[in-house]
Amino acid sequence: MLERYGHGGDLWTAAKTFGLSKDAFLDFSSNMNPLGPPNAAQIILRDRWRDIAAYPDPAVRELRAKLAAKYEIPAESILVGNGAAELIDLSVRLLQPGVTALARPSFSEYEEAVHKTDGAIYEIPLFAAHGFMLEETAAERALARSDLLFLGSPNNPTGRLLPPSVLERLAAADKPVIVDEAFIDFCPDEARLSMIRTAADSRHLTVIRSMTKFYSIPGLRLGFMVAHPDRIRLMRQQQVQWSVNTMAQLIGAAVLDDREFERRTHAWLAEERPWLIGKLTELGLLVTPSDTNYLLFSLKPLGITVQELQAEMGRRGVLIRDASRFPGLDSSYVRTAIRLREHNERLIRELGAAIGALTGSGKLAGRSTGGDAAAAQGSRMETGHMEPERPVPQGAAPALPFGSSRPREPVSPASQGATLMVQGTSSDAGKSLLATALCRILWQDGLRVAPFKSQNMSLNSYVTADGKEIGRAQGMQADACRVAATTDMNPILLKPKKDMVSQVVVHGKPLRDFDARTYREKYLPEAEAIVRDALARLRETYQVVVLEGAGSPAEVNLKDSDIVNMRLAGWADAPVVLVADIDRGGVFASLLGTMEIFTPEEQARVKGFIINKFRGDVSLLKPGLDWLEQRTGKPVLGVIPYLPDLELEDEDSASLDRKLAAGAIERGSVGRGTLLATDAEEAGSAGRLDLAVIRLPRLSNFTDIDPLLYESDVRLRYVGTAEELGQPDAVIIPGSKNTVDDLLFLRSTGLDQALAGHARRGGWIAGICAGYQMMGERLLDPELLESDRPETAGLGLFPAETVFKPDKQTVRAVGEARLFDGGGSDDAVPAYRISGYEIHMGRTRFLRPVKHPFYIAEEGGCQEAHPDGVVSDNGKLWGTYVHGILHNDDFRRAWLNAIRLGKGWEPLKAELRFQERREAAFDRLAAHVRNHLDMDRLYEMIDYSRQAKQSDKQIPSQEAIRCEYIREQAMPGRPE
């Protein structure tokens, strides 16, 4: 029995039972926040450890003051304790009730506290058929027949909140009531659901809260209670002196300030809970609705017991909670925590295998009935209804689709942000940059604005602050808005892997690979709910959301399942501006043809046209503009001249192909090199380093190279064959969406041998992510995730091998680099602060001792820095998983200077500040579009008055804001 002490999370008992190390288990039996502890806990433990030499504050004044400020209650109404367990025991001991009413099922420590005072229990049964919700009539009866009513909200183990009608009755009760809100802070609308403020003034109501669950600090034991000051004084007299230790007090006060941790937690749970409910339902389990970070489910449809399943799972290294130990539940019930996606995926895999072993077949019994019933219950739970529920017919509602989150109560249109949608008559019409410009313009004019693109296809990714992957364009647009990017801004990302097959990333995490037909026919219907929900959340937060379409909205074969263009505009009730690229030719035909394909309703939604990338005298275009307006009845909102050398990153490698096809991009006055130069001697004679980038067919995150385009002493060129490579000063092997196939490309072109020869001659080579993996001795793909080859020989430049795993590593990283060793000790090598991000499915291990040039940690994480990458003995070959490594100005210049010194050239100072240049590019783009766009009409479209908004808010100067933002961008871990 794993719960021999009445709780989950007993790793010592699990280790003894199953013969494994206690560190070998994945623990779903206790319900801690997997994102924690917050970084503040690490800082306190590191910086304040000497404080343990003094007694803790017996009145816990600092933490009580923080809690009082957070919940807007008097500090005199708060008592802090050694976890919620101490406060539960203390409350019952003080009240000495003869009869205590408890829900069945509920947390066992309530009953244990009552038994210690020789009290009796009045049971309030909660029924599975009613979703384990407490009904008001049952609460009324319990109040009449007891001296104390002790309830959990959310209930443990069911995860159900008390309905509003019950909360109102408890607030008006005339006898003691204790409400345990240990998990309520996992609810985003905690302020509305909690009874803390009522308890602070009430003479009969007590609220108990835990801080260990949400902040994941159970080892510290920390909780608090809120009640009338008179009751708190009596409680304090009964409390053991110094029950709250110094570290608990300091860390408790520190974590309360971490609002970003709260936001990340709520975003994580909104995504993971419906996903896990859906997966459990697919296994044939009956899942109970939940309002918090754990789930209760029944094994009845499968005909097995929780004890059998717990033993089978324990042998597989996964711990689940035997919920039959909660009075009121039978041996079919299991409680499981909700953890991170990779952990949840392992839970589902092991559950499937364990159930298959226990039922004697790979096919699960009861899948149809149990799945439908659980889906119905799961769907009801996610509506957030608090009133008592009635039994729901089987199959009443489908499970929520992957990546969707809790639907909200209907929001009145007046409380939703305005919308504006940019669509194009074709791909590459300039939608992304125009949306970026509008984002910056609206921000400059004082509005809270955010970007949105429901579905993006790109190999150029951006990692959000919480370690999720979205399209680069939406990350850039969020930067233009001066807001943190979230997956709501790009809920679905398609990453092409090979012809007609893409990896589908939903809310920042990979779902699976789909071919085009299957994705369109099977997944798009589910994607609609994900898209609409993400957009609704943005509109609740921002005053304006700028939507970007994809491709052309006039693809008649795709319109019936469209989630990116006109159907999306309808869901958002968004006015549409239609953009056409005049540089392609046929601009009037493309605009008129698109309008002709639209339905009358879609035509009405288009509010005007923008003609983009114009070169020449606009007066010569005037007759055509007049004709277009007369023919369509729609105004031309602007003719945007072509803006050269913008210096903002491109969305995908197709733009790189267009630049290469164009021949050259030369800007000698600021040192920007041509992309097509092939003569290293020519570069050297001009005082420039010749840097060659391997043009991989599946090149991804090519913006890693962007800063080199603006270095005054660099000529950059992309090469695809050994002949093109020549003898450069340095070679960069960039990232790839398919490492194995692109490594085979190196072999087919002879580039593998050319790179080996370059290394033998003492040449410089840098590998980033996939390029780093290719530089090792072999690539191992035992699950055939990347290709159909279980093993592929690498370039052999490093003693390393990479194994591909199904879970993708996506984090923002911060750390330092000690790369350019002149032969001395590490201490003599300068350390450069670096930041960037990781996106990879491979894990690299070393076959012999190597030197690691980078030490990095997850931004905002609590783990210590770990080594990354490898560097050769001569310092000329190096690799790293950190995308954006060359965006670190001082590191980039140090690398270039090391190459210069090798050529006998003098080093140069680090003059290029790439982020400052990028910010200036945003403002340049905004000014350019503003000068050529009818902004008054645009504001009429979104129903905002610029003058009113600007008068509402004191807007600092653009220079002041730019300086502030650049400081923010320089913070560790920020992808450029």
Side-chain angles (χ1 to χ4, degrees):
M1 180 176 63
L2 297 183
E3 295 85 6
R4 61 184 301 183
Y5 295 102
H7 296 275
D10 186 354
L11 300 177
W12 288 264
T13 297
K16 183 177 180 181
T17 302
F18 298 111
L20 301 173
S21 163
K22 68 181 183 66
D23 297 325
F25 291 99
L26 184 56
D27 186 15
F28 282 83
S29 67
S30 65
N31 306 317
M32 298 303 129
N33 185 344
L35 302 185
N39 196 43
Q42 179 188 15
I43 294 171
I44 292 294
L45 290 171
R46 183 190 66 204
D47 297 343
R48 302 290 298 273
W49 64 272
R50 290 182 179 84
D51 288 16
I52 63 174
Y55 280 109
D57 176 9
V60 199
R61 278 161 281 206
E62 181 183 3
L63 177 53
R64 287 171 58 227
K66 284 283 188 74
L67 290 167
K70 178 181 173 83
Y71 294 105
E72 300 177 344
I73 57 176
E76 295 76 20
S77 293
I78 302 172
L79 178 66
V80 180
N82 187 259
E86 182 197 26
L87 301 173
I88 291 169
D89 186 81
L90 190 60
S91 301
V92 177
R93 184 153 41 91
L94 179 71
L95 293 170
Q96 294 286 318
V99 177
T100 300
L102 300 178
R104 288 285 188 263
S106 64
F107 190 37
S108 59
E109 286 194 6
Y110 307 160
E111 186 167 345
E112 291 172 10
V114 172
H115 288 327
K116 289 177 184 177
T117 63
D118 295 323
I121 303 295
Y122 174 82
E123 295 186 0
I124 314 171
L126 305 178
F127 300 103
H130 294 179
F132 291 105
M133 292 293 289
L134 176 60
E135 297 185 352
E136 185 179 359
T137 55
E140 193 74 48
R141 286 194 300 270
L143 283 168
R145 300 176 186 181
S146 65
D147 304 309
L148 167 67
L149 186 56
F150 203 148
L151 299 169
S153 184
N155 173 283
N156 185 3
T158 70
R160 302 311 305 266
L161 285 161
L162 292 173
S165 59
V166 172
L167 294 177
E168 291 173 7
R169 182 63 189 91
L170 299 181
D174 56 359
K175 62 179 56 176
V177 173
I178 301 175
V179 178
D180 178 5
E181 296 182 347
F183 294 92
I184 203 169
D185 34 12
F186 287 94
C187 302
D189 46 354
E190 168 200 352
R192 178 178 64 84
L193 299 170
S194 174
M195 299 190 76
I196 277 186
R197 292 183 185 174
T198 304
D201 297 326
S202 171
R203 290 192 172 273
H204 73 274
L205 178 63
T206 300
V207 169
I208 294 176
R209 297 289 289 269
S210 169
M211 295 183 68
T212 63
K213 280 78 172 176
F214 187 83
Y215 296 107
S216 198
I217 49 174
L220 289 176
R221 309 303 308 138
L222 190 62
F224 65 97
M225 67 170 16
V226 177
H228 190 277
D230 292 344
R231 178 164 293 178
I232 292 296
R233 279 191 290 271
L234 293 173
M235 294 278 188
R236 187 172 291 120
Q237 292 171 11
Q238 297 293 322
Q239 188 179 30
V240 175
Q241 194 70 276
W242 296 309
S243 74
V244 185
N245 68 66
T246 297
M247 286 296 111
Q249 293 189 33
L250 292 172
I251 289 174
V255 297
L256 287 173
D257 293 330
D258 196 342
R259 299 303 170 85
E260 175 60 18
F261 181 81
E262 295 179 13
R263 187 201 65 77
R264 288 175 57 204
T265 296
H266 294 148
W268 152 75
L269 187 56
E271 176 180 343
E272 287 304 305
R273 184 171 56 204
W275 183 88
L276 188 54
I277 288 173
K279 294 299 181 181
L280 292 170
T281 297
E282 290 174 9
L283 292 175
L285 304 169
L286 291 173
V287 185
T288 297
S290 172
D291 296 295
T292 188
N293 66 321
Y294 50 85
L295 298 171
L296 180 72
F297 61 86
S298 173
L299 303 166
K300 276 182 182 173
L302 307 181
I304 59 178
T305 68
V306 61
Q307 292 81 12
E308 293 171 326
L309 182 63
Q310 187 184 61
E312 185 69 23
M313 292 291 285
R315 287 190 285 271
R316 297 169 185 273
V318 179
L319 301 183
I320 55 177
R321 181 73 188 272
D322 177 358
S324 71
R325 293 181 52 78
F326 292 90
L329 295 178
D330 62 31
S331 62
S332 73
Y333 280 95
V334 180
R335 194 199 67 190
T336 181
I338 303 171
R339 295 175 57 98
L340 299 178
R341 176 58 57 86
E342 57 266 32
H343 301 150
N344 296 334
E345 288 174 338
R346 182 180 170 195
L347 172 70
I348 295 300
R349 288 197 302 270
E350 300 293 358
L351 275 173
I355 292 170
L358 291 170
T359 58
S361 94
K363 294 183 179 180
L364 303 180
R367 173 184 290 270
S368 175
T369 341
D372 290 345
Q377 291 185 15
S379 179
R380 293 208 324 278
M381 179 278 289
E382 289 302 309
T383 64
H385 287 202
M386 296 295 107
E387 70 274 17
E389 296 180 61
R390 296 177 174 82
V392 176
Q394 292 181 357
L400 288 171
F402 173 94
S404 63
S405 59
R406 175 180 173 182
R408 300 144 313 283
E409 295 297 325
V411 179
S412 67
S415 68
Q416 291 185 317
T419 53
L420 172 67
M421 189 166 195
V422 179
Q423 296 187 22
T425 59
S426 65
S427 297
D428 200 36
K431 297 183 294 291
S432 291
L433 281 179
L434 278 171
T436 303
L438 292 173
C439 283
R440 178 50 67 101
I441 289 169
L442 295 171
W443 172 81
Q444 289 173 339
D445 290 351
L447 289 164
R448 297 192 312 275
V449 60
F452 179 78
K453 187 166 185 175
S454 57
Q455 174 188 286
N456 201 350
M457 178 175 281
S458 175
L459 287 178
N460 215 17
S461 302
Y462 182 105
V463 173
T464 62
D466 57 348
K468 304 294 178 61
E469 188 178 7
I470 64 173
R472 187 79 195 175
Q474 281 61 64
M476 178 180 73
Q477 289 161 359
D479 290 344
C481 298
R482 301 280 176 87
V483 297
T486 70
T487 61
D488 279 341
M489 297 173 185
N490 177 212
I492 299 176
L493 174 64
L494 307 180
K495 303 192 74 174
K497 295 186 70 171
K498 53 186 178 181
D499 290 346
M500 302 300 290
V501 175
S502 291
Q503 181 187 64
V504 178
V505 178
V506 180
H507 274 297
K509 293 294 184 181
L511 171 59
R512 54 166 288 190
D513 294 348
F514 280 101
D515 63 76
R517 179 176 294 277
T518 303
Y519 176 76
R520 173 174 162 75
E521 294 178 354
K522 303 294 186 184
Y523 189 70
L524 275 183
E526 296 184 20
E528 177 179 328
I530 297 169
V531 167
R532 297 179 73 156
D533 205 44
L535 177 59
R537 281 192 296 272
L538 289 178
R539 295 185 68 187
E540 290 171 0
T541 305
Y542 295 94
Q543 292 170 297
V544 183
V545 179
V546 177
L547 289 74
E548 179 189 337
S552 165
E555 305 291 350
V556 293
N557 56 313
L558 302 177
K559 288 184 67 175
D560 62 334
S561 57
D562 164 46
I563 64 168
V564 293
N565 287 311
M566 272 301 178
R567 286 181 78 222
L568 173 62
W571 301 335
D573 193 24
V576 173
V577 292
L578 191 59
V579 182
D581 176 6
I582 197 171
D583 214 27
R584 292 171 176 263
V587 66
F588 298 117
S590 64
L591 287 167
L592 183 60
T594 301
M595 291 294 291
E596 289 293 327
I597 290 172
F598 284 161
T599 66
E601 293 80 8
E602 292 169 340
Q603 291 172 354
R605 194 164 291 284
V606 176
K607 303 303 180 185
F609 305 127
I610 297 176
I611 294 178
N612 197 24
K613 305 181 189 178
F614 180 71
R615 306 171 194 252
D617 184 350
V618 73
S619 65
L620 299 177
L621 194 63
K622 184 73 166 53
L625 303 180
D626 293 340
W627 174 87
L628 182 65
E629 291 186 340
Q630 291 172 3
R631 177 66 182 266
T632 63
K634 307 289 182 181
V636 176
L637 300 172
V639 176
I640 311 297
Y642 177 76
L643 183 62
D645 305 321
L646 181 55
E647 301 182 4
L648 287 174
E649 59 260 44
D650 294 304
E651 181 173 16
D652 55 45
S653 58
S655 58
L656 176 61
D657 292 334
R658 288 188 292 273
K659 291 175 181 177
L660 292 171
I665 306 174
E666 185 76 31
R667 283 194 53 186
S669 62
V670 295
R672 184 169 184 172
T674 175
L675 295 176
L676 292 181
T678 57
D679 191 346
E681 293 182 1
E682 177 188 341
S685 65
R688 293 183 181 181
L689 298 172
D690 179 37
L691 268 59
V693 182
I694 305 300
R695 178 59 173 98
L696 300 171
R698 297 155 192 86
L699 174 68
S700 70
N701 291 78
F702 67 94
T703 51
D704 284 342
I705 314 300
D706 280 2
L708 294 172
L709 293 168
Y710 309 106
E711 287 287 2
S712 60
D713 62 335
V714 169
R715 171 164 286 173
L716 195 70
R717 56 193 178 92
Y718 284 82
V719 301
T721 66
E723 293 74 21
E724 290 177 345
L725 181 65
Q727 296 186 10
D729 295 311
V731 180
I732 299 172
I733 310 175
S736 166
K737 187 62 189 74
N738 192 311
T739 311
V740 172
D741 284 355
D742 277 350
L743 179 55
L744 297 176
F745 161 78
L746 297 183
R747 293 230 163 80
S748 68
T749 57
L751 277 167
D752 60 334
Q753 294 302 316
L755 289 169
H758 180 74
R760 284 195 301 272
R761 293 189 296 271
W764 295 75
I765 303 177
I768 300 174
C769 198
Y772 165 42
Q773 295 171 342
M774 294 180 198
M775 293 173 75
E777 292 187 5
R778 54 183 168 267
L779 303 175
L780 303 177
D781 191 7
E783 300 183 50
L784 303 182
L785 300 168
E786 284 266 318
S787 69
D788 57 359
R789 300 168 63 98
E791 181 173 342
T792 306
L795 298 177
L797 301 178
F798 296 139
E801 65 181 19
T802 296
V803 180
F804 293 105
K805 304 283 188 180
D807 57 311
K808 181 182 288 191
Q809 174 90 347
T810 56
V811 297
R812 287 165 63 158
V814 56
E816 66 177 26
R818 293 179 180 271
L819 182 60
F820 313 108
D821 189 353
S825 66
D826 281 350
D827 293 339
V829 180
Y832 299 95
R833 295 292 296 168
I834 60 169
S835 63
Y837 57 100
E838 297 181 56
I839 308 176
H840 55 93
M841 298 179 76
R843 303 293 189 269
T844 297
R845 57 197 182 201
F846 301 97
L847 308 176
R848 295 183 294 281
V850 297
K851 185 172 181 179
H852 301 290
F854 305 102
Y855 279 81
I856 59 174
E858 180 181 353
E859 180 191 5
C862 60
Q863 296 175 338
E864 293 185 0
H866 60 273
D868 172 75
V870 61
V871 63
S872 61
D873 291 338
N874 65 5
K876 293 186 175 182
L877 310 179
W878 58 270
T880 179
Y881 271 120
V882 180
H883 287 288
I885 186 68
L886 295 175
H887 288 237
N888 295 278
D889 298 324
D890 293 331
F891 170 84
R892 182 181 65 252
R893 175 39 57 189
W895 179 53
L896 294 176
N897 280 343
I899 302 173
R900 291 179 65 88
L901 289 170
K903 292 173 66 70
W905 296 2
E906 289 294 320
L908 300 180
K909 292 183 178 180
E911 296 180 348
L912 173 62
R913 295 297 165 190
F914 189 71
Q915 185 55 44
E916 295 179 21
R917 198 176 185 113
R918 186 170 181 264
E919 269 296 293
F922 281 136
D923 287 340
R924 179 178 170 226
L925 173 64
H928 180 73
V929 171
R930 189 192 289 270
N931 289 339
H932 295 92
L933 196 62
D934 189 337
M935 291 303 301
D936 289 328
R937 278 192 173 180
L938 186 136
Y939 270 98
E940 289 175 7
M941 289 164 55
I942 61 174
D943 198 25
Y944 263 103
S945 163
R946 275 185 293 172
Q947 291 75 17
K949 272 295 145 197
Q950 289 174 320
S951 64
D952 285 346
K953 178 181 179 181
Q954 292 295 321
I955 304 175
S957 71
Q958 292 301 308
E959 184 59 30
I961 294 171
R962 182 183 299 118
C963 292
E964 177 186 357
Y965 187 66
I966 290 170
R967 285 196 298 273
E968 292 175 358
Q969 296 296 295
M971 292 293 286
R974 177 80 180 180
E976 296 288 345

